Amino acid sequence: SSSSNVVAADTNEILMLQISTLNAEKQKFKDDNLSLQNKLIESKSSNEKLTERCRHAEVLSRKATRGGNFESDVAEEVARLRCDALNASQANGHSNYSFRISSNMNGGMNTSDLMGMSAEELYDMVSQLRESVKEERDLYHELLAEHEDLLALL
């Protein structure tokens, strides 16, 4: 009977060691699982940031492409207007020409200020206005990003 008690005690001790080992492994797996979940959250966040950067780069690419086309279209139209105006002035016997503009969207300048401007001056003014609008849009997008960041903190 005492030898069966010793065997039972040894078996009990072995089982207790196995349970302890299994509990340690279980805790290790829990820790590993938590670590992997944190890495998954970080990866998703990083993926979202990269996706947003990609979208932003696509927008900038489209703007650059569209801007290049706009510039060439405007230059082509200015050249066409110069030829038309030159042909008209030569037909009228005038060597000097100016464009008459009747528009309410003249940036605070009155019509008489714009009437004497040449095509180059008008083109320069439009280019400056376009740059100003672009700068304002950039500032707006920066402000919008700051607001989104502040909202994300809330």
Side-chain angles (χ1 to χ4, degrees), residues 99-115:
F99 293 103
R100 304 282 182 207
I101 297 175
S102 58
S103 171
N104 291 332
M105 299 182 65
N106 52 23
M109 296 178 74
N110 61 35
T111 306
S112 63
D113 291 337
L114 296 174
M115 286 171 44

Side-chain angles (χ1 to χ4, degrees), residues 71-123:
E71 292 292 330
S72 64
D73 291 345
V74 169
E76 189 176 306
E77 184 66 17
V78 167
R80 187 188 64 76
L81 287 172
R82 284 184 189 149
C83 286
D84 290 348
L86 185 59
N87 290 338
S89 67
Q90 287 175 350
N92 292 334
H94 300 128
S95 60
N96 196 1
Y97 62 90
S98 64
F99 293 103
R100 304 282 182 207
I101 297 175
S102 58
S103 171
N104 291 332
M105 299 182 65
N106 52 23
M109 296 178 74
N110 61 35
T111 306
S112 63
D113 291 337
L114 296 174
M115 286 171 44
M117 294 177 78
S118 68
E120 293 98 3
E121 292 170 329
L122 290 173
Y123 178 75

